[in-house]
């Protein structure tokens, strides 16, 4: 047993109180009328031995104080955890035979006898299970072939895990991001830049709808190139807030964080959120002199990644996701003994009250 | 037990000092004096001779030689005959109760603080008075304490009630009165009277008093009242013993004092009994946990 707050044992000094209470009454003298005093002869008092009245009550009180002091010292009992091996089944697998305790790899780690609705993030749960188990407990994890909703990094655990892959798992079609369809609105003085956007559209294989700034943006459009200086008109801002993405030239108000850099690390574009949409601003003039990338072959692909980023991969083949070892070992789980102690204290207090208020007791504190 | 039926200093006109069971057992007892028997009366001390007196006995027809002042003239007015009114002659014996009311009589046991030695003493006095009344004897009371009171001998139920009130108002305190204060009393106690001294006999003066009365020809009986603590000395632990009369104090551990106290107290009791016996004084003893009539049975049973 360890004590989390050993200073709590200072409360044992409280033993002095019941000891004093039970001892003090010994030494006091009770005045008594006694007419036959002349037949009493003064005797030297017998050698004073420390004697205590009502020893059972005193014992109960001492034990009670000791328990309270122990409670204040917050005792912990290490090594009380179950050391049988653990087999964890990810939801979606059929719990078969496994050695030791068999659990669902789900929040709370319910035993497999219980039905479990659905799991959480597998990697997080594996890390939690690894931290909860005492060192040296063998852990087997049964996972389906494909795992969804996991980190991009293999979990690093404190122990070697037996990683069993069974058929099954979510069937997720890889998200095929649609090629954006560009809508261009331009001020007359910037008609010269239109050719770049037409080239981009040709590279994407999508038509480009070009019109003046006075033409409203069609409702179904998702991507707009705004070739005009100054702040965006209110109508366009509303459209962006509704979920659109707009690309504005360098002479628009600066905003947002850099999302595209050139080979030297200098910013090429920055983006900011507006409502549910985004405003992407090019930080340079759309000329080959200011922006040599314009002439690069991968410019359309880079631009597409900026305007319509591909969704991050979220499904991994479980065989590639076997946890690594070498993670930090968590502390041994300990049992807090304060609750059973508190129950014992309450019970002992009742006994003390019962003894102290017993009818047979004389007049005493 | 006998303490249940009464309380001290009660405002009720007649205070019941004698519990019912003791009163019931009183019928078996008689106040007998060795010297009065066969003197004038028959049986107990009731006088059979009639004559002038307070207690009415009977009417009888006038005979020659009767004094004219004995004739009941009112009855003559109604019946036109002479009748002589006769009264019982008073008993020749008076029972004197000498009740110690000094401070030591106020002591009670810790176990029964409501039952002091004085309570037992006045209940005993009431019993003796009741006995005397039942057999037609007169009775008197002298309290020996801070306030010395003398109730002169009288007979009859009213005198009994008066005396009972007197008893109910007593409280313990002070020391035994000295000889000079007692002197007027001696003259009033008749030659044939029965004297019952109710005391704890801790003060040597009480024994002297009884011995002197006995030597002067009165029949003296002694009733000693002891508390349970004096008999058993049940003290354990530290105590400050205090004499209620002198105020003297003694600190001691009960258990350590017990053996010697029991021995010395027993020796003192033996000496007291020897002194009483030598003076021809019969004695009874009441410890507070005994039935009230224990000494009465010893003396009058």
């Amino acid at each position: 047993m360890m004590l989390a707050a050993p200073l709590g044992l200072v409360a044992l000094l409280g033993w002095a109180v019941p000891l004093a209470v039970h001892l003090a009454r010994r030494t006091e003298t009770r005045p008594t009328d006694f007419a036959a005093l002349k037949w009493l002869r003064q005797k030297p008092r017998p050698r004073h031995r420390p004697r205590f009245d009502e020893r059972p009550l005193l014992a109960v009180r001492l034990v009670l104080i000791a328990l309270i002091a122990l409670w204040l010292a917050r005792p912990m009992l290490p090594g009380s955890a179950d050391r049988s091996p653990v087999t964890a089944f990810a939801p979606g697998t059929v719990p078969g035979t496994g050695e030791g305790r068999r659990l669902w790899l789900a929040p709370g780690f319910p035993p497999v006898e219980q039905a479990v609705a659905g799991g959480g993030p597998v990697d997080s749960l594996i890390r939690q299970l690894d931290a909860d188990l005492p060192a040296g407990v063998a852990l087997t994890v049964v996972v389906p072939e494909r795992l969804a909703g996991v980190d991009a990094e293999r979990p690093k655990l404190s122990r070697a895990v037996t990683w069993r892959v069974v058929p099954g798992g979510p069937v997720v079609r890889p998200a095929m991001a649609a090629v954006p369809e560009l809508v261009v609105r331009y001020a007359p003085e910037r008609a010269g830049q239109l050719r770049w956007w037409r080239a981009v559209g040709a590279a994407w294989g999508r038509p480009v709808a070009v019109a003046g700034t006075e033409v409203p943006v069609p409702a179904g459009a998702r991507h707009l190139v705004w070739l005009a200086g100054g702040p965006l008109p209110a109508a366009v801002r509303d459209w962006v807030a509704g979920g659109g993405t707009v690309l504005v030239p360098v002479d628009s108000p600066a905003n947002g964080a850099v999302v595209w850099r050139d080979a030297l690390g200098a910013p090429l574009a920055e983006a900011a959120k507006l409502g549910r949409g985004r405003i992407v601003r090019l930080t340079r003039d759309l000329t080959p002199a200011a922006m040599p990338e314009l002439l690069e072959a991968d410019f359309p692909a880079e631009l597409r990644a900026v305007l319509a980023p591909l969704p991050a991969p979220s499904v991994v083949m479980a065989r590639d996701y076997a946890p690594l070892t070498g993670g930090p070992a968590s502390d041994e789980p300990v049992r807090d003994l304060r609750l059973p102690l508190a129950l014992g204290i309450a019970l002992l207090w009742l006994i003390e009250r019962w003894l102290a208020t017993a009818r047979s007791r004389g007049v005493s504190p | 037990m006998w303490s249940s039926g009464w309380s001290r200093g009660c405002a009720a006109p007649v205070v019941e000092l004698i519990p019912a069971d003791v009163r019931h057992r009183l019928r078996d007892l008689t106040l007998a004096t060795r010297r009065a028997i066969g003197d004038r009366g028959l049986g107990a001390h009731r006088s059979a001779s009639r004559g002038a007196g307070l207690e009415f006995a009977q009417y009888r027809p006038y005979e020659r030689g009767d004094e004219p002042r004995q004739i009941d003239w009112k009855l003559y007015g109604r019946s036109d005959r002479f009748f002589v009114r006769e009264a019982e002659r008073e008993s020749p014996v008076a029972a004197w109760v000498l009740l110690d009311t000094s401070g030591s009589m106020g002591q009670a046991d810790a176990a029964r603080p409501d039952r002091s030695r004085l309570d037992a003493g006045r209940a005993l006095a009431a019993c003796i008075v009741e006995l005397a009344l039942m057999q037609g004897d007169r009775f008197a009371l002298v309290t020996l304490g801070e306030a010395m009171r003398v109730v002169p001998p009288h007979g009859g139920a009213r005198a009994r009630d008066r005396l009972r009130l007197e008893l109910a108002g007593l409280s313990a305190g002070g020391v035994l009165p000295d000889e000079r204060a007692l002197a007027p009393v001696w003259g009033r106690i008749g030659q044939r009277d029965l004297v019952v001294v109710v005391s704890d006999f801790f003060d040597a003066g009480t024994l002297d008093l009884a011995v002197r009365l006995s030597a002067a020809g009165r029949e003296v009986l002694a009733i000693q009242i002891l508390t349970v603590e004096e008999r058993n000395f049940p003290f354990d632990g530290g105590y400050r013993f205090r004499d209620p009369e002198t105020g003297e104090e003694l600190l001691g551990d009960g258990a350590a004092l017990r053996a010697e106290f029991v021995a010395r107290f027993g020796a003192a009791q033996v000496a007291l009994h020897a002194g009483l016996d030598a003076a021809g004084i019969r004695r009874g003893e009441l410890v507070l946990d005994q039935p009230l009539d224990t000494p009465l049975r010893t003396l009058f049973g």
Side-chain angles (χ1 to χ4, degrees):
Chain A
M1 193 172 68
M2 326 180 287
L3 299 177
L7 272 184
L9 291 183
V10 173
L12 285 179
L13 290 177
W15 269 346
V17 176
L19 286 176
V21 166
H22 282 252
L23 185 63
R25 271 180 280 146
R26 203 72 197 166
T27 54
E28 77 183 14
T29 54
R30 281 155 277 186
T32 309
D33 270 358
F34 200 69
L37 191 74
K38 58 177 143 181
W39 292 287
L40 273 179
R41 182 170 289 166
Q42 185 87 48
K43 273 206 145 188
R45 285 180 65 81
R47 192 170 56 83
H48 186 266
R49 297 186 304 265
R51 286 181 60 188
F52 297 102
D53 291 331
E54 298 177 284
R55 284 159 183 253
L57 180 60
L58 174 63
V60 168
R61 285 176 171 167
L62 289 182
V63 173
L64 183 62
I65 288 178
L67 283 189
I68 291 174
L70 202 57
W71 187 86
L72 289 174
R74 299 182 55 192
M76 304 279 183
L77 197 61
S80 61
D82 195 349
R83 293 195 169 271
S84 59
V86 171
T87 307
F89 294 90
T93 60
V94 179
T97 56
E99 51 175 345
R101 288 180 289 153
R102 296 186 302 153
L103 311 170
W104 282 119
L105 198 59
F109 303 108
V112 292
E113 287 78 17
Q114 288 180 18
V116 63
V122 172
D123 52 340
S124 165
L125 287 168
I126 289 174
R127 279 193 294 267
Q128 183 185 349
L129 188 58
D130 176 59
D132 282 355
L133 291 176
V137 173
L139 175 61
T140 306
V141 180
V142 182
V143 288
E145 267 182 320
R146 294 176 294 276
L147 294 174
V150 295
D151 283 350
E153 195 176 358
R154 290 166 68 186
K156 227 176 187 184
L157 303 185
S158 63
R159 77 196 70 219
V161 170
T162 312
W163 188 253
R164 264 167 54 196
V165 180
V166 297
V171 180
V172 178
R173 203 170 291 282
M176 300 299 286
V179 179
E181 197 164 326
L182 279 181
V183 175
V184 179
R185 292 287 179 269
Y186 68 101
E189 70 273 12
R190 307 205 187 199
Q193 296 178 359
L194 284 179
R195 61 193 186 107
W196 298 112
W197 297 113
R198 289 206 175 93
V200 167
W204 290 353
R206 308 287 290 185
V208 179
V210 178
T213 52
E214 70 284 354
V215 180
V217 182
R222 308 303 308 154
H223 299 92
L224 169 69
V225 178
W226 186 260
L227 297 178
L232 288 171
V236 177
R237 290 186 71 88
D238 291 347
W239 173 83
V240 172
T245 303
V246 64
L247 189 90
V248 293
V250 67
D251 46 354
S252 309
N255 62 357
V258 176
V259 292
W260 188 12
R261 293 177 186 275
D262 63 8
L264 299 176
L268 284 177
E270 56 188 25
K273 280 198 175 299
L274 177 67
R276 288 189 286 123
R278 292 197 307 155
I279 299 175
V280 181
R281 170 177 167 267
L282 293 175
T283 56
R284 305 183 194 176
D285 267 341
L286 204 60
T287 57
M291 192 188 243
E293 287 75 12
L294 208 53
L295 301 177
E296 298 287 337
D298 59 352
F299 176 76
E302 297 279 345
L303 185 68
R304 177 177 159 187
V306 170
L307 285 183
L310 284 171
S314 61
V315 176
V316 67
M317 295 306 280
R319 64 171 185 276
D320 299 327
Y321 201 68
L324 302 169
T325 57
S330 62
D331 290 337
E332 178 94 345
V334 291
R335 227 175 104 214
D336 196 342
L337 292 181
R338 280 198 294 175
L339 181 65
L341 265 181
L343 290 177
I345 288 170
L347 182 70
L348 215 57
W349 181 76
L350 285 178
I351 292 175
E352 191 268 340
R353 282 293 92 197
W354 177 66
L355 282 177
T357 57
R359 198 174 276 270
S360 59
R361 274 187 89 216
V363 181
S364 48
Chain B
M1 280 299 288
W2 46 271
S3 68
S4 55
W6 49 276
S7 62
R8 109 182 47 161
C10 182
V14 175
V15 181
E16 190 50 64
L17 292 170
I18 310 170
D21 57 332
V22 175
R23 178 181 291 280
H24 179 73
R25 292 198 293 266
L26 282 184
R27 291 186 201 167
D28 308 338
L29 305 176
T30 40
L31 284 186
T33 74
R34 285 174 302 193
R35 290 165 193 166
I37 289 172
D39 181 11
R40 280 208 255 175
L42 291 171
H45 315 300
R46 181 185 295 261
S47 164
S49 52
R50 310 201 196 294
L54 289 175
E55 294 288 308
F56 173 77
Q58 65 174 359
Y59 287 113
R60 67 170 170 77
Y62 173 76
E63 283 176 25
R64 282 193 170 193
D66 284 335
E67 289 181 49
R69 69 185 176 93
Q70 287 188 316
I71 295 171
D72 191 327
W73 293 104
K74 285 182 181 168
L75 193 59
Y76 168 75
R78 289 202 296 274
S79 65
D80 206 14
R81 290 186 186 178
F82 293 122
F83 284 98
V84 173
R85 183 188 167 91
E86 279 198 331
E88 260 180 56
R89 178 163 294 178
E90 283 182 336
S91 163
V93 169
W96 287 78
V97 179
L98 267 57
L99 178 57
D100 185 358
T101 61
S102 60
S104 61
M105 291 294 281
Q107 187 185 331
D109 283 318
R112 291 287 303 270
D114 58 330
R115 194 180 63 187
S116 72
R117 204 175 348 229
L118 180 65
D119 295 334
R122 66 176 126 207
L124 278 175
C127 286
I128 292 165
V129 166
E130 202 67 33
L131 280 175
L133 180 77
M134 279 197 290
Q135 25 186 98
D137 286 337
R138 293 170 298 144
F139 37 84
L141 173 73
V142 180
T143 64
L144 308 172
E146 200 170 25
M148 197 178 127
R149 310 182 77 109
V150 181
V151 180
H154 276 296
R158 291 187 58 187
R160 186 261 322 256
D161 290 346
R162 247 192 335 267
L163 202 140
R164 235 189 229 175
L165 278 177
E166 190 73 38
L167 283 173
L170 291 180
S171 61
V175 293
L176 215 61
D178 58 3
E179 209 168 319
R180 246 181 315 155
L182 284 170
V185 182
W186 301 152
R188 305 182 69 164
I189 300 180
Q191 189 69 38
R192 302 171 209 281
D193 286 351
L194 178 69
V195 179
V196 185
V197 183
V198 180
S199 171
D200 50 17
F201 287 93
F202 287 169
D203 193 329
T206 325
L207 178 62
D208 288 349
L209 177 73
V211 169
R212 266 191 288 123
L213 276 172
S214 181
R218 276 77 176 175
E219 172 156 12
V220 181
L221 306 177
I223 298 180
Q224 186 183 21
I225 306 175
L226 296 177
T227 64
V228 181
E229 286 168 353
E230 284 151 5
R231 184 187 59 189
N232 297 348
F233 205 75
F235 301 107
D236 191 12
Y239 282 88
R240 182 188 293 120
F241 298 104
R242 179 181 160 275
D243 189 332
E245 290 185 22
T246 62
E248 198 180 327
E249 291 196 343
L250 186 145
L251 276 170
D253 184 71
L257 294 172
R258 181 180 298 126
E260 190 174 358
F261 171 78
V262 169
R264 296 183 73 198
F265 189 66
Q269 288 293 101
V270 168
L272 171 71
H273 294 167
L276 290 172
D277 290 346
I281 300 171
R282 290 190 293 142
R283 55 184 160 81
E285 188 186 81
L286 173 68
V287 185
L288 286 185
D289 58 352
Q290 292 171 340
L292 180 61
D293 52 346
T294 309
L296 301 178
R297 295 208 159 266
T298 316
L299 296 172
F300 308 124

